[in-house]
Amino acid sequence: MRTSAVAGTFDVLHEGHRSLIRRAFEVGDRVLVGITSDAMASDGRDEIVPLEIRRRELETYLNTLGPQSVFVIDDIYGPDEMMDDVDVLVVSEETLPNGRVLNDRRRERGLEPMELSVVPLVMSGDSKISSSAILRGEYGRSGRRDVIDIAVGSGNRVKVAAVRTVMERVYGDVRITAVDVPSGVPDQPFGEQTHRGSENRARAALGDHDMAVGIEAGVFEMLDGLYDIQHCTIISRDGKATYGHGSGFRYPDRIAELVRGGMTVGDAVHEVYGNTDIGKKQGAVGLLSKGLIDRKTLTEQSVIAAMIPRIWDE
């Protein structure tokens, strides 16, 4: 039985990544896939897509191909207990030098070098497809530029990933551009401010794009306490606006009182639970539900709701 391995950051899983992964399944009976940790992925990058989002998207694709094992790597070598059994390492023309470095290390440790299976770069025009260019909105996952061009009125990678997931289900390949714009409402919106913030974001981001999506999470006083509800506004170049919101969930009383007293939800969660950076990771809902639902899924609900009038109208 031959074991193959392939690794990457997989910021946005594009056709270049898929060609590497398909090769790994072609040359190996057992397939290992390494994905970089957030610490490794952030080296040299201003912002990354969180690991839990990258890994979920990767595993969804892998499950269409066959059995495999996904593991997290913190350096180019990967954990010895996984990599020592590898017979074939799948690399691109660009990462071939790394494969040679790994083989030099194996020889130093008394192991046979791995076979290096080199996959040609997948191009978009005159340059290779890259996650960074996709995140800038230059083209879609396939490298095509002649696809619907959608702006997201936020630099938050969780929101951007949620919009990409929904819009690809509706339109197929899409271009998604993150546009960091002000919401025009307080950092912690209450009630009607939530919808206003989502619409402000969409209108500010539209520019020359075909469509813009604004998403705002706010808190609402409901029957038995303070609820979190995400609102979404979608505006197209023809001026058409559609709206939607996701399902709500109730905050614990300790958090609710701090938010009513002037704290943002993020600060209140940190005060009560000591959890940090929830806005860019699983969100408060992921923490409070113990992983049953995360912020990306909750955000997708609001985007789908705002798309429904467009879907039945079209």
Side-chain angles (χ1 to χ4, degrees):
M1 175 179 288
R2 278 164 52 99
T3 298
S4 63
V6 63
T9 300
F10 306 116
D11 244 0
V12 178
L13 192 69
H14 54 66
E15 190 53 36
H17 296 138
R18 289 170 178 162
S19 65
L20 290 168
I21 293 168
R22 287 194 297 266
R23 174 69 64 82
F25 278 88
E26 290 167 2
V27 300
D29 304 298
R30 174 177 176 240
V31 179
L32 305 178
V33 184
I35 184 170
T36 60
S37 64
D38 282 341
M40 183 179 177
S42 61
D43 187 23
R45 293 181 174 92
D46 293 332
E47 191 171 4
I48 60 164
V49 178
L51 173 62
E52 54 263 37
I53 293 176
R54 294 184 283 121
R55 181 166 187 161
R56 187 184 309 120
E57 185 175 82
L58 173 65
E59 290 177 338
T60 297
Y61 177 65
L62 290 171
N63 288 337
T64 68
L65 300 177
Q68 31 51 46
S69 296
V70 178
F71 60 99
V72 179
I73 58 175
D74 292 303
D75 54 42
I76 67 167
Y77 303 106
D80 290 341
E81 62 269 22
M82 299 291 289
M83 295 301 296
D84 283 356
D85 294 332
V86 173
D87 301 299
V88 186
L89 181 65
V90 177
V91 295
S92 69
E93 296 167 325
E94 195 173 51
T95 59
L96 177 58
N98 286 347
R100 291 172 174 152
V101 169
L102 266 64
N103 271 341
D104 288 342
R105 182 172 180 269
R106 283 174 71 96
R107 292 187 186 95
E108 292 171 358
R109 298 176 57 235
L111 299 174
E112 288 292 319
M114 297 174 289
E115 176 187 332
L116 301 179
S117 181
V118 183
V119 178
L121 296 173
V122 177
M123 308 298 287
S124 175
D126 296 330
S127 60
K128 73 178 182 72
I129 292 181
S130 72
S131 293
S132 57
I134 294 172
L135 290 169
R136 289 193 298 269
E138 295 180 15
Y139 42 72
R141 292 181 196 266
S142 66
R144 289 182 53 189
R145 300 172 189 267
D146 59 337
V147 294
I148 187 168
D149 177 16
I150 302 170
V152 181
S154 174
N156 185 289
R157 292 303 184 195
V158 176
K159 290 183 179 181
V160 174
V163 172
R164 188 185 306 278
T165 296
V166 173
M167 293 307 186
E168 286 178 341
R169 290 171 64 186
V170 177
Y171 296 112
D173 205 6
V174 295
R175 291 166 54 191
I176 302 291
T177 305
V179 185
D180 200 1
V181 296
S183 67
V185 298
D187 290 341
Q188 182 53 69
F190 275 75
E192 186 275 334
Q193 294 172 339
T194 311
H195 165 72
R196 182 150 41 94
S198 74
E199 185 160 356
N200 289 345
R201 288 181 182 276
R203 294 193 183 281
L206 181 59
D208 294 327
H209 301 279
D210 297 323
M211 185 182 293
V213 182
I215 301 162
E216 194 73 27
V219 292
F220 294 75
E221 294 288 357
M222 304 287 279
L223 294 175
D224 59 346
L226 195 68
Y227 277 66
D228 179 288
I229 301 176
Q230 290 200 46
H231 278 234
C232 178
T233 298
I234 300 176
I235 300 176
S236 44
R237 196 184 295 179
D238 61 6
K240 180 178 180 178
T242 53
Y243 312 100
H245 63 74
S247 58
F249 66 95
R250 180 182 169 222
Y251 282 115
D253 291 340
R254 289 182 297 167
I255 292 177
E257 289 308 312
L258 291 172
V259 173
R260 292 184 184 110
M263 277 192 182
T264 65
V265 166
D267 289 341
V269 171
H270 177 66
E271 177 77 16
V272 174
Y273 292 99
N275 192 54
T276 59
D277 205 21
I278 60 167
K280 295 181 179 179
K281 295 189 177 179
Q282 84 272 30
V285 69
L287 175 71
L288 297 173
S289 71
K290 295 187 177 180
L292 288 175
I293 185 172
D294 59 22
R295 189 185 182 193
K296 179 175 180 282
T297 303
L298 202 65
T299 303
E300 289 171 8
Q301 292 178 357
S302 70
V303 180
I304 291 170
M307 281 299 297
I308 286 174
R310 295 175 182 273
I311 293 169
W312 57 249
D313 189 43
E314 292 173 3

